Amino acid sequence: MRYELYYWSEIQGRGEYVRLALEAAGADYVDVARSKGGEAKMMKRMGAGVTPSFAPPYLKAGKLMIGQTANILLYLGEKEGLAPKTEAGRLWTHQLQLTIADFVAEIHDTHHPIGSGLYYEDQKPEARRRSADFLAHRAPKYLGYFEDVAKANKAGKGRHLVGARLSYADLSLFQVVEGMRYAFPRAMARLEKQLPRVVAIRDSVAALPRIRAYAESPRRIPFNQMGIFRHYPELDGG
Ligand SMILES: N[C@@H](CCC(=O)N[C@@H](CS)C(=O)NCC(=O)O)C(=O)O
């Protein structure tokens, strides 16, 4: 089966968590919006049928139309062997992904604390306040949580969040570290000193042959100032 991923064509955004899972699994997929006329098709299909999605990303898998990043990954985790088979293991991986989704929403709000529809330039003082609090309290709390999870997971031998094998939670943690390094290089350099296990998981994902090939390919859209992770030096308190 060829999966159809529907997500914005010019950013990594939330679609990237799905792209990484599809790439790591070696799955056959098409990134629909990146083809000619694809974004119009995405918007048209999004609201169609009896299970419309509120926002991209969504995934077409045979007859299924699945929205919400964590929900898509719950599905792919089972189908593509990127999550444990046990109920407890599947729920735990999903729980980690939902926590990453919370983190991602807070990362977005550092540059858009007042309104997603407003320009960054129209909310700069608020973005500065929000980012200062985020870097002082929220980022260390989230990243410290994942460090503790990795420490408690003895079976992961420092390379996995869940059990002894790669899961989509590892891939998503990789993406968060990459994004945080892009958006907040000074602050991340400081924070990473307390996160040896998180960095080790990032490194082991980066070394996966399929992920390396993906990272070097044009399929991986570079970070930019339109996505969720944006680099505004004035927000990177260090
Ligand atoms: N909770 C959803 C959020 C989806 C979402 O916010 N998508 C963004 C792009 S990353 C979007 O296009 N939002 C349009 C909107 O909220 O109106 C998920 O994790 O998939």
Side-chain angles (χ1 to χ4, degrees):
M1 175 178 60
R2 168 171 277 199
Y3 295 109
E4 292 178 17
L5 168 64
Y6 291 80
Y7 192 67
W8 302 109
S9 61
E10 292 182 357
I11 59 170
Q12 294 184 2
R14 289 179 174 88
E16 197 63 17
Y17 302 91
V18 182
R19 293 190 184 110
L20 284 168
L22 292 165
E23 293 280 347
D28 185 15
Y29 77 102
V30 53
D31 205 336
V32 178
R34 297 192 71 194
S35 60
K36 201 163 177 287
E39 279 200 359
K41 192 172 170 190
M42 173 175 90
M43 296 315 284
K44 197 169 161 206
R45 279 215 150 162
M46 193 166 81
V50 290
T51 58
S53 283
F54 175 75
Y58 62 95
L59 185 80
K60 183 169 184 305
K63 290 191 175 140
L64 291 175
M65 292 289 262
I66 311 162
Q68 290 283 356
T69 310
N71 201 33
I72 298 168
L73 291 171
L74 180 67
Y75 172 82
L76 287 177
E78 186 180 346
K79 295 292 168 199
E80 299 295 334
L82 288 171
K85 291 198 187 326
T86 61
E87 183 180 49
R90 275 189 291 124
L91 288 174
W92 172 230
T93 315
H94 186 49
Q95 180 177 330
L96 292 174
Q97 188 63 42
L98 288 168
T99 306
I100 285 177
D102 291 344
F103 190 19
V104 168
E106 293 196 32
I107 292 164
H108 168 272
D109 289 353
T110 58
H111 51 80
H112 277 75
I114 301 298
S116 301
L118 301 174
Y119 290 111
Y120 166 64
E121 285 68 24
D122 294 332
Q123 45 195 319
K124 278 175 90 166
E126 294 89 352
R128 274 185 99 111
R129 271 190 86 183
R130 184 70 186 247
S131 298
D133 180 76
F134 172 79
L135 293 176
H137 303 294
R138 303 300 289 173
K141 185 168 180 179
Y142 277 109
L143 290 167
Y145 168 75
F146 288 106
E147 181 71 17
D148 290 346
V149 169
K151 187 175 181 186
N153 180 34
K154 302 283 179 242
K157 297 201 166 75
R159 293 197 305 275
H160 303 297
L161 284 173
V162 178
R165 296 186 52 205
L166 178 73
S167 72
Y168 62 79
D170 295 332
L171 301 171
S172 296
L173 188 62
F174 159 84
Q175 176 64 7
V176 163
V177 172
E178 291 295 279
M180 287 291 293
R181 284 180 177 178
Y182 171 77
F184 303 106
R186 288 179 56 209
M188 263 310 264
R190 171 177 59 81
L191 290 171
E192 281 186 29
K193 291 185 189 137
Q194 311 297 322
L195 304 167
R197 294 169 187 84
V198 166
V199 172
I201 291 172
R202 178 259 163 225
D203 290 347
S204 75
V205 169
L208 293 169
R210 282 177 178 152
I211 295 299
R212 276 176 58 182
Y214 171 57
E216 288 163 12
S217 80
R219 298 192 304 285
R220 170 90 162 165
I221 300 165
F223 286 108
N224 59 42
Q225 296 299 81
M226 296 176 290
I228 289 168
F229 295 102
R230 301 188 192 184
H231 179 56
Y232 295 115
E234 64 272 24
L235 301 186
D236 184 12

